[in-house]
Structures are given as C-alpha cells and as structure tokens.
C-alpha cells in the first residue's frame, strides 16, 4: 500500500500518544518521589542521625531532579498537543518544534545520570545506609532517556516523510489550479484582449483635469498679446493695431 499523507498523519498521532504516556510516566515517578520525600522519608524506627544524613543526601542529589522531572512531565503533553495540531493542519514547520522538548529531556537525564555517578563517592564519610530509590533514580533516568531516543528516531522519520508529502501535495494543487479549464480560459482571454487605452481607465476626475488644462492653455493664449497673429499688411499684432487706431487723431476737412 502506498504511503499516503493520511497514513503518515495517523502514525504521527500514534507517536504523539506514546510520547504523552512517556510524559505521564515521568510525572508519575517524580511525583511519587516528591510525596515520599515529603511524608515518608524517615520511618520511626530509623536512628535520628542516620535519618538526618538520609535527608541531607537526598536533598543534595535528588530534590532538584524531582522538581525538574515534575515540570518535564507536565510540559510533555503540551508539546504533543501542538504536534498533533500541526499534523492535522498540515504545518510541517510547527511539527519540528517537538525536537526542542526531546533534546531537552535527553539532555537533563544524561546530565543528572553523569552527575550522580561522579558524586557517588562524595558522601562516604557520612554514616549512611544506601537506599533502593537511588538505583531506581538511575534506572528510571536511563529508561526514560532510551525511550525518548527511540521516539525521536521514529519522529524524525515521520517528520521527514510528512514534510515531503505536504510539499508534494501543495505542488500538485498549484499545478492542478493552473491546468483547470477556468484558469486556461482566463489566460486565453487575457492574451487575446485588445490593448487597453490609457484614457479608458481614467475616471471622471481625469476628464475634469484634462478639460481644466485645455481651458488654461486657451485663456493663456487669449490673454497674452505676444502670441497673437499679426493682421494682414501690418507689422504689429492685433492689440498693437487696435491701440494705434484708438489713439489716432481725427482729421479735419
């Protein structure tokens, strides 16, 4: 069966659901550790000195990771919802936003696992009994990192195929639009149409402007006596001849 864009979207939504379960698992584990540290860290039968050392080591190594884990579990579904919306709306650029969350989760887990291993011998001088949750923190961190890495590999494959399919679909839509009968008819009409006169596109205001310009030149020609034609048999203009006739003294017989 051919790989259609609908199948890619469905698989991407399934992948987002897996990542939501990954985030809920993270929030559940660190939420349980937060409650256990807040209420059930030291049983009554435990010596007070060992209990204080236990609280101190836990606060130094695991408290901050617990808070970050709670935030990580809460923000994971938000990124997955954005990812699902981007798949449904066919927005490939928005789907790649999920990578920021994936790299952030793996970076946090790798940082704290390496930090716990480096600082494992820093508390040997303290009277302390190793606890089961210490190994559990390491195992859960490693398991969440591997799971996130596997999801990210599948995501990159789906994201690349989805981006290619959306680009191919949009290219096909543009080609079908240009090849449609209505578009071809419009192109033929535009090619065979006669040239448009410049004055045909002008509105009533343009006609008024042209009439005003014509009247200006006519009035200018009437008022400027230097542009008058001379009378036949005369060296002066019409105005000059008229003034000479007016000023001429009447002759007496």
């Amino acid at each position: 069966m051919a790989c259609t864009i609908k199948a890619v979207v469905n698989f991407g939504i399934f992948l987002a659901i897996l990542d939501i379960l990954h985030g809920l698992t993270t929030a559940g584990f660190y939420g349980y550790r937060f409650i256990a540290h807040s209420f059930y860290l030291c049983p009554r039968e435990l010596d007070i000195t060992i209990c204080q050392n236990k609280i101190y080591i836990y606060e130094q190594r695991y408290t901050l990771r617990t808070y970050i884990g709670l935030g990580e579990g809460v923000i994971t579904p938000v990124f997955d919802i954005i990812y699902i919306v981007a798949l449904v709306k066919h927005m490939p650029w928005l789907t790649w936003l999920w990578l920021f969350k994936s790299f952030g989760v793996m970076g946090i887990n790798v940082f704290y696992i390496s930090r716990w291993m480096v600082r494992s011998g820093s508390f040997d001088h303290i009277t302390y009994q190793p606890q089961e949750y210490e190994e559990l923190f390491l195992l859960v961190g490693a398991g969440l990192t591997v799971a996130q890495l596997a999801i990210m590999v599948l995501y990159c494959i789906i994201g690349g195929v989805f981006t290619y399919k959306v680009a191919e679909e949009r290219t096909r839509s543009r080609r079908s639009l240009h090849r449609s009968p209505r578009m071809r008819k419009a192109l033929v009409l535009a090619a065979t149409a006669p040239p448009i006169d410049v004055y045909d596109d002008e509105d009533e205001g343009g006609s008024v402007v042209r009439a005003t310009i014509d009247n200006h030149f006519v009035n200018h020609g009437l008022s400027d006596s230097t542009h008058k034609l001379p009378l036949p048999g005369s060296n002066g203009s019409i105005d000059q001849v008229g003034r000479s006739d007016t000023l001429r003294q009447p002759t007496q017989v």
Side-chain angles (χ1 to χ4, degrees), residues 22-243:
H22 178 274
L24 294 178
T25 302
T26 303
F29 172 75
Y30 289 108
Y32 169 75
R33 290 311 316 164
F34 174 77
I35 295 174
H37 171 65
S38 301
F39 300 100
Y40 308 107
L41 188 61
C42 289
R44 293 181 179 179
E45 63 272 12
L46 189 64
D47 184 77
I48 186 63
T49 303
I50 298 178
C51 179
Q52 291 176 350
N53 293 337
K54 180 180 179 181
I55 295 174
Y56 172 75
I57 292 175
Y58 187 92
E59 290 178 349
Q60 292 295 316
R61 301 185 66 180
Y62 305 110
T63 302
L64 184 59
R65 179 65 186 102
T66 301
Y67 294 151
I68 294 177
L70 288 173
E72 176 187 330
V74 171
I75 201 172
T76 295
V78 176
F79 276 87
D80 291 320
I81 291 173
I82 296 174
Y83 178 70
I84 293 174
V85 172
L87 288 174
V88 175
K89 297 296 183 180
H90 291 184
M91 295 185 292
W93 63 271
L94 188 59
T95 59
W96 295 102
L97 182 66
W98 184 86
L99 280 179
F100 290 99
K101 192 275 301 183
S102 179
F103 282 117
V105 169
M106 290 190 298
I108 290 171
N109 285 321
V110 171
F111 171 76
Y112 275 99
I113 288 174
S114 60
R115 185 170 180 265
W116 291 333
M117 295 179 67
V118 169
R119 297 187 63 187
S120 60
S122 300
F123 305 97
D124 292 340
H125 61 285
I126 298 176
T127 303
Y128 173 71
Q129 296 177 355
Q131 302 294 317
E132 294 181 356
Y133 62 78
E134 296 182 7
E135 295 183 358
L136 188 61
F137 264 95
L138 293 174
L139 292 176
V140 170
L144 292 176
T145 304
V146 172
Q148 188 66 69
L149 180 61
I151 293 175
M152 189 185 69
V153 171
L154 293 175
Y155 161 80
C156 290
I157 296 174
I158 294 300
V161 175
F162 176 71
T163 303
Y164 173 77
K165 289 292 183 180
V166 171
E168 185 181 30
E169 183 184 58
R170 291 176 180 175
T171 303
R172 190 184 305 112
S173 299
R174 287 193 295 266
R175 289 177 180 176
S176 62
L177 179 62
H178 287 293
R179 293 176 182 177
S180 62
R182 182 175 299 178
M183 180 62 67
R184 288 200 299 268
K185 183 178 179 181
L187 293 175
V188 170
L189 291 176
T192 58
I196 301 175
D197 190 3
V198 177
Y199 297 101
D200 292 341
D201 292 337
E202 294 181 350
D203 54 1
E204 184 179 356
S207 301
V208 173
V209 171
R210 289 200 306 274
T212 304
I213 293 174
D214 294 340
N215 293 332
H216 170 74
F217 282 107
V218 171
N219 295 332
H220 179 71
L222 293 176
S223 61
D224 191 358
S225 62
T226 59
H227 292 82
K228 300 298 187 297
L229 294 175
L231 293 175
S234 175
N235 293 328
S237 64
I238 296 176
D239 292 343
Q240 292 174 351
V241 174
R243 286 196 297 269

